[in-house]
Amino acid sequence: MDIRRIDSPRGHSRVLLVVALLFLVLIGGRTAASYVIEYQWWQEMGQVSTWFNMLLYGTLPVAAASLLAAVLFWLAHMRGVKFSGSGRASGWSLLGALVLGFLVASALIESWTVVRFFGGRGVSGGDAWRDPVFGHALSFYFFDLPFYAMLLRVVLTLALLSGLIFWVTTRAYQLRGNIAQWQRQGEVSIAELGLSGGLEAHFFRGAAALFLLVLAAQCYLDRFDMLLNEHVFLVGVDYVNETVGLPLIWLAVAACVLAAVLVAMGRWKFVLIVPAAFALQSLIPKMVNSLYVRPNEISIQRPYIQRHIQATRAAYGLDHDVKEIEFPATMEARIDTSKHKALLDNVRLWDWRAFHDTVTQIQALRPYYVFADSDVDRYTINGQLRQVLLTPRELDIRQLPDARTRWINPHFIYTHGYGIVMAEASRITPDGLPSLLIKDAPAKVEVPGLQITRPELYYGEVNHEPIFVGTGQAEFNYPSGSENVHSKYDGQGGFPVASLPMRLAAAVAEGDWNILLTNLLSGDSRMMIRRKVVERVGALAGFITWDPDPYLVLTKEGRLVWMLDGYTTSTQHPYSRTIDLKGLGSFNYVRNSVKATIDAYDGKVNLYIFAPDDPIIRAYARLFPALLKPAEAMPADLREHARYPEVIFRAQAEIYRTFHMRDPEAFYNKEDLWDIAKNISGQAGKPEMLTPTYVVATLPDADKPEFLLMLPFTPRNKDNLIGMMVARCDGPNLGQIVFLQLSKQALIFGPMQIEARINQDQMISKDLSLWNQQGSQVLRGQMLVLPIENTILYVEPLYIQASEARMPQLKKVAIAMGNTLIYTDTYEEGIAQLGGMRQATPAVKTAAIPGQPPAAAPAPSAESEKRLEALRGRFQRYRDLMAQGKWAEAGRELEAIGSEINRK
């Protein structure tokens, strides 16, 4: 070898070229292999056409914009060279224009904005609501306006850069032509270094005029941005915007158009009318607001506040399929427990956190099994609707550090979880543990009507990948004593990977050459990827925001199927208040538009539209016709387990606690703000905001139990109960919201007030102090707040667990209703005592001794009842007068109460 050839500049260039080619082959090979695997995965999903559409939608808008920008930039450069009168364009100018065009298009073009615009053409969903200022439907603000705004930004940028390229090219070539003359003269002409060269060209004036015209169009679109203006007490167009702001925008539009015409004629000084118009647009509204509006704000802004209230309720789905019911609850009431047996038998005694910790201790079987989450659901058991807690037993390979070091274990042997644990939410064993309906491995079903035929969990919440099934290696199924039971996959999940090209593609894509070298793969072998259900549906339909908490359903055929809620959101709903919610981000419009099902064995995914009136999901359904199915196509046994999701329920509750006030004056003054009720839970014993709770209960005036999602409210900075929000989940009522509004004149205890009574009870406090010693801890479950007849029933379970082992056991149950507090060993004893009590007076408190029913109080006479009702009325008037500051009248009312009490 001639070493001099390698050391020469040409030799160095060849080495660099070889290295660059190897690098490109490596990167290109990895990309090509990834596309091969992607194609196989989308083919497994049966959605290859959807994948091609996504690729097309994601690249075509940027490619088209890049080509357009490159042509404009190249023309600007060529015109600049021609105008300079010296030299000719470089061969690299076209390449530079292409690169710059791509960079600009990538920065400005939002592909999905373009796609939604064309997908939303003619979409009718959302037409029922139109903004009161311009009269446009929601589709205009969701699809058209973002596209027009983006289009203007593109044109504005292209006009600005084209003019700049023309001027830079012109001046560069002019100055290059003068260099030789300066060298001959031996001096540089300062006058020729000025910036004016090229400004007089028709091309530059045309670019500047186009810029001003686009600026005028942008001002025109700014009118619609006013619908999202945030004021102190409302969102959208207010009085100043409508009467002053809109006319001033038209003034700015006129100024920009006039300036464009004059600039095209070469009269540059008239450009100054544009900043003058913008200055007026900024100053005059502030003056009008300070001098005229603020002194009479509520009377002037009333109709605009009304628009804000109506629009916000509509944006969060609080204007349709919603019932607001006056619930005349009283503190003291007598209930017939036999009449409400369906409700009382389904009261959830197991807080999901305590259930999760207990099941982890008694059903994990091996250290590598985990219970990632526990969910509440309902099943028909022995002909009755029962509330259950269900948690899947998944396999976490991270708990087997030694096994992970052996490549074969995570890829071929430890491939899946096994089975579920199900318990009835209201049943407790004598030892204070959950009463399990499905348990152990192999799965044991303890009740008729339920079966589990496919307990293996290849897809779930805790999974590693990739794995290979249908291989020459038996898979671990579940432990049995000192031995392990193995199985072989016989489903349709995954995609074939047996051929040499597929093994090579998988090895390159995963960066793992063991896939190519192993001899365990056979003709039936399949490769599974995207086994986490949230990631799986996210890859399939990334344009939908997916709930981070899927839940598992046991079908009537005995298969395990995951269900997951999907949401469409927007920040463009006019007049609507924006909130920020964990898991969804910021939005001012939301719909539970899609529900997904994922088979835990095969990984098959189906997406069903559950909000057909949502314009966003209607647009996506047009763009991806093979992907989304109507809700009616969901199998009946899965439809029975569809439910109202907590995420959207929390968003609606956050809005309703303010927007339940429909009177603009009350809304303006924030007269009746509500808070989400709090209670004491967990070990810390600190007040925590109640989370939405799934219950099987009966709505007032209904006699059939159903699966509900509930959340109580209290007045701002107060603890008494003021209302309850209930979402129905069953059958045709799915999605209906019911608001139980309590009387503002009657005091109904809230959860924190019941908690205070529990803490103050001598017997309970003594037990709590004792159990929190001697190496144990007390856990307080979330308090259930249940409407029943014309009162409210409160149930709080109390658990005890050892400090060193998290296995809570139900120890006591506290039941409260009005001034009655029952504290028993078991829930059944408490309900028996509640049913055996007569109506109590406000001064009576029942602190029951565990296992011993209280003595029945004598029934009050009709005269006593009448006097008691009169006293209650006078006492309520006394409280109202005190709250109003009418001390003298309140004193007279108090004297009347005393006289009535002393009367024999």
Side-chain angles (χ1 to χ4, degrees):
M1 179 184 293
D2 190 347
I3 299 178
R4 289 173 299 176
R5 292 178 59 190
I6 297 177
D7 290 339
S8 66
R10 181 176 296 179
H12 283 300
S13 298
R14 289 175 178 174
V15 171
L16 292 175
L17 180 61
V18 170
V19 171
L21 288 174
L22 287 175
F23 179 76
L24 290 176
V25 168
L26 180 62
I27 298 299
R30 186 75 177 266
T31 302
S34 297
Y35 272 102
V36 170
I37 297 300
E38 280 292 302
Y39 174 81
Q40 293 294 327
W41 185 79
W42 284 93
Q43 191 173 47
E44 174 196 349
M45 295 289 97
Q47 296 290 337
V48 173
S49 61
T50 300
W51 184 48
F52 284 155
N53 286 341
M54 286 185 176
L55 292 176
L56 182 65
Y57 297 153
T59 57
L60 188 59
V62 174
S66 298
L67 183 61
L68 175 63
V71 170
L72 289 176
F73 295 159
W74 183 74
L75 287 175
H77 177 74
M78 297 301 295
R79 292 298 300 271
V81 171
K82 182 178 180 180
F83 185 81
S84 68
S86 59
R88 61 182 180 177
S90 168
W92 292 94
S93 59
L94 181 58
L95 178 60
L98 287 171
V99 171
L100 182 59
F102 173 75
L103 294 175
V104 171
S106 299
L108 294 177
I109 297 296
E110 299 169 355
S111 294
W112 282 106
T113 299
V114 179
V115 170
R116 281 193 295 267
F117 171 75
F118 289 102
R121 298 285 80 200
V123 167
S124 58
D127 289 350
W129 191 93
R130 291 180 176 269
D131 81 83
V133 178
F134 304 110
H136 291 299
L138 284 180
S139 57
F140 174 80
Y141 295 100
F142 289 169
F143 311 129
D144 299 0
L145 188 59
F147 174 76
Y148 296 147
M150 185 197 71
L151 193 63
L152 285 181
R153 288 196 301 271
V154 171
V155 176
L156 200 67
T157 303
L158 293 182
L160 182 63
L161 290 179
S162 297
L164 183 62
I165 290 171
F166 173 82
W167 178 81
V168 169
T169 302
T170 298
R171 294 301 294 144
Y173 277 88
Q174 286 176 345
L175 292 175
R176 190 178 71 173
N178 292 336
I179 289 176
Q181 180 180 351
W182 292 343
Q183 289 177 340
R184 289 193 301 270
Q185 294 176 352
E187 61 179 2
V188 176
S189 174
I190 302 299
E192 293 179 352
L193 290 175
L195 301 177
S196 60
L199 295 180
E200 69 278 9
H202 292 298
F203 183 88
F204 189 85
R205 293 206 304 266
L210 177 62
F211 178 87
L212 289 169
L213 288 175
V214 175
L215 189 60
Q218 182 64 59
C219 292
Y220 174 82
L221 289 187
D222 286 344
R223 301 181 313 144
F224 303 108
D225 288 342
M226 284 186 172
L227 297 175
L228 299 174
N229 284 351
E230 292 198 5
H231 307 279
V232 175
F233 48 86
L234 66 86
V235 173
V237 171
D238 67 353
Y239 174 84
V240 176
N241 293 148
E242 188 167 34
T243 59
V244 180
L246 288 175
L248 286 175
I249 284 181
W250 283 113
L251 176 64
V253 170
C256 290
V257 172
L258 179 60
V261 174
L262 295 174
V263 165
M265 297 170 59
R267 306 175 71 175
W268 289 92
K269 293 181 180 180
F270 287 93
V271 173
L272 295 176
I273 63 176
V274 174
F278 287 162
L280 291 176
Q281 190 178 359
S282 175
L283 294 175
I284 293 179
K286 295 179 181 178
M287 295 173 60
V288 173
N289 186 62
S290 298
L291 299 176
Y292 176 69
V293 175
R294 190 165 295 174
N296 310 284
E297 199 162 48
I298 181 57
S299 59
I300 292 175
Q301 302 284 24
R302 178 183 293 272
Y304 304 96
I305 296 174
Q306 188 68 51
R307 294 175 182 176
H308 171 52
I309 295 172
Q310 293 172 349
T312 301
R313 290 176 65 100
Y316 289 90
L318 296 175
D319 67 329
H320 64 281
D321 209 11
V322 171
K323 293 182 179 180
E324 294 181 333
I325 301 173
E326 293 291 336
F327 183 47
T330 59
M331 284 274 287
E332 302 301 328
R334 185 178 179 182
I335 63 171
D336 183 353
T337 55
S338 61
K339 176 182 176 182
H340 300 281
K341 190 175 187 302
L343 184 154
L344 297 174
D345 284 353
N346 274 290
V347 168
R348 195 177 83 196
L349 300 180
W350 277 102
D351 187 283
W352 70 267
R353 292 164 293 191
F355 174 79
H356 177 270
D357 291 343
T358 301
V359 167
T360 299
Q361 293 291 330
I362 65 177
Q363 280 289 305
L365 304 182
R366 292 291 187 272
Y368 43 79
Y369 279 132
V370 295
F371 296 97
D373 193 18
S374 297
D375 292 294
V376 182
D377 206 341
R378 73 287 200 193
Y379 287 80
T380 301
I381 300 173
N382 294 325
Q384 294 183 330
L385 188 66
R386 294 296 185 188
Q387 185 175 189
V388 304
L389 286 152
L390 184 150
T391 182
R393 185 186 291 107
E394 299 195 71
L395 189 148
D396 187 359
I397 196 67
R398 293 171 298 182
Q399 306 304 320
L400 280 168
D402 293 337
R404 292 189 68 191
T405 60
R406 303 177 181 89
W407 183 79
I408 192 175
N409 283 329
H411 294 90
F412 289 85
I413 299 177
Y414 295 99
T415 56
H416 60 275
Y418 186 90
I420 61 172
V421 176
M422 181 188 290
E424 196 168 347
S426 60
R427 294 291 179 264
I428 309 295
T429 68
D431 296 328
L433 299 177
S435 178
L436 302 181
L437 305 178
I438 300 177
K439 61 182 179 180
D440 298 341
K444 297 179 182 177
V445 181
E446 302 291 345
V447 292
L450 298 179
Q451 61 174 335
I452 179 166
T453 57
R454 273 297 177 195
E456 296 87 0
L457 295 162
Y458 283 87
Y459 299 87
E461 295 183 86
V462 182
N463 281 310
H464 59 279
E465 55 186 54
I467 65 166
F468 301 90
V469 297
T471 69
Q473 174 65 52
E475 302 173 49
F476 169 75
N477 208 25
Y478 59 85
S480 178
S482 60
E483 303 293 330
N484 291 331
V485 176
H486 294 81
S487 65
K488 187 173 183 178
Y489 185 76
D490 63 355
Q492 297 301 312
F495 48 84
V497 73
S499 66
L500 181 62
M502 276 302 302
R503 292 171 66 175
L504 177 62
V508 173
E510 295 292 332
D512 188 349
W513 294 106
N514 289 309
I515 299 174
L516 186 63
L517 300 175
T518 183
N519 59 1
L520 293 175
L521 297 177
S522 63
D524 296 328
S525 298
R526 304 174 75 85
M527 179 178 177
M528 290 184 178
I529 62 174
R530 294 190 177 125
R531 299 201 300 138
K532 292 185 178 180
V533 293
V534 177
E535 294 178 3
R536 195 169 183 84
V537 296
L540 190 63
F543 49 84
I544 293 172
T545 302
W546 292 102
D547 196 304
D549 184 23
Y551 60 98
L552 198 60
V553 172
L554 177 62
T555 69
K556 292 182 179 179
E557 290 77 20
R559 297 186 71 90
L560 296 173
V561 177
W562 293 95
M563 295 190 73
L564 186 61
D565 287 287
Y567 313 100
T568 47
T569 63
S570 176
T571 57
Q572 300 298 313
H573 194 295
Y575 280 98
S576 178
R577 176 73 64 192
T578 298
I579 64 172
D580 194 306
L581 198 66
K582 184 178 180 180
L584 290 185
S586 296
F587 55 92
N588 69 358
Y589 170 90
V590 63
R591 290 292 185 272
N592 178 205
S593 53
V594 176
K595 293 184 183 292
T597 63
I598 308 97
D599 191 287
Y601 190 74
D602 285 340
K604 183 179 181 181
V605 179
N606 288 294
L607 306 181
Y608 303 96
I609 297 176
F610 270 73
D613 294 334
D614 173 33
I616 299 177
I617 201 62
R618 289 171 68 94
Y620 284 129
R622 292 179 60 183
L623 293 167
F624 306 107
L627 185 61
L628 297 163
K629 303 177 182 179
E632 295 75 19
M634 179 180 283
D637 58 343
L638 290 177
R639 184 67 170 77
E640 291 177 359
H641 294 277
R643 67 188 189 185
Y644 203 80
E646 290 186 47
V647 170
I648 196 170
F649 190 79
R650 289 202 307 268
Q652 291 175 315
E654 176 63 26
I655 289 298
Y656 189 77
R657 68 188 191 87
T658 301
F659 287 83
H660 71 90
M661 295 180 287
R662 299 196 189 189
D663 178 66
E665 186 169 348
F667 186 92
Y668 174 82
N669 292 314
K670 300 180 179 179
E671 294 177 4
D672 192 21
L673 286 177
W674 291 358
D675 284 329
I676 295 172
K678 297 180 180 180
N679 82 319
I680 297 174
S681 63
Q683 298 180 15
K686 295 181 179 179
E688 296 179 357
M689 190 177 296
L690 283 171
T691 57
T693 304
Y694 289 105
V695 299
V696 171
T698 306
L699 286 171
D701 300 328
D703 55 4
K704 183 179 180 182
E706 54 184 307
F707 196 56
L708 306 170
L709 184 60
M710 306 181 73
L711 189 66
F713 295 100
T714 61
R716 170 61 59 91
N717 299 324
K718 299 289 182 63
D719 289 326
N720 59 289
L721 206 63
I722 193 64
M724 297 190 69
M725 180 175 175
V726 182
R728 305 178 74 178
C729 300
D730 291 340
N733 296 321
L734 174 63
Q736 184 181 98
I737 304 294
V738 178
F739 293 101
L740 305 180
Q741 298 179 336
L742 278 66
S743 171
K744 297 175 183 178
Q745 283 71 42
L747 175 67
I748 302 297
F749 286 154
M752 282 302 297
Q753 291 170 321
I754 300 296
E755 295 282 13
R757 298 188 61 223
I758 292 174
N759 291 336
Q760 294 165 9
D761 185 274
Q762 294 182 359
M763 184 180 298
I764 301 177
S765 62
K766 178 182 176 181
D767 286 348
L768 296 181
S769 299
L770 178 63
W771 294 332
N772 274 317
Q773 302 171 8
Q774 303 173 352
S776 61
Q777 297 173 337
V778 174
L779 300 179
R780 299 173 72 155
Q782 175 164 310
M783 182 176 291
L784 299 180
V785 184
L786 304 172
I788 181 169
E789 288 192 13
N790 60 336
T791 188
I792 303 291
L793 179 68
Y794 303 86
V795 180
E796 180 174 278
L798 300 173
Y799 313 93
I800 186 171
Q801 72 175 11
S803 301
E804 302 300 326
R806 298 178 61 182
M807 190 176 76
Q809 294 175 282
L810 186 67
K811 192 68 175 179
K812 295 283 186 178
V813 177
I815 300 174
M817 190 177 67
N819 283 311
T820 300
L821 177 61
I822 298 174
Y823 178 62
T824 57
D825 289 328
T826 67
Y827 172 72
E828 289 77 10
E829 292 174 3
I831 293 301
Q833 292 186 26
L834 186 68
M837 288 175 5
R838 296 186 181 273
Q839 185 170 354
T841 63
V844 172
K845 168 186 164 183
T846 301
I849 300 173
Q852 180 178 341
S861 65
E863 180 64 25
S864 298
E865 287 283 358
K866 186 176 180 180
R867 288 185 62 191
L868 179 59
E869 191 61 33
L871 277 172
R872 285 174 177 161
R874 284 192 176 278
F875 182 69
Q876 185 58 50
R877 286 193 294 274
Y878 164 76
R879 293 181 58 192
D880 294 341
L881 292 170
M882 288 291 290
Q884 298 168 17
K886 299 178 180 179
W887 318 116
E889 296 178 39
R892 288 193 293 270
E893 199 65 42
L894 188 59
E895 291 176 1
I897 292 173
S899 300
E900 183 66 26
I901 291 174
N902 294 327
R903 183 170 67 87
K904 295 183 179 180

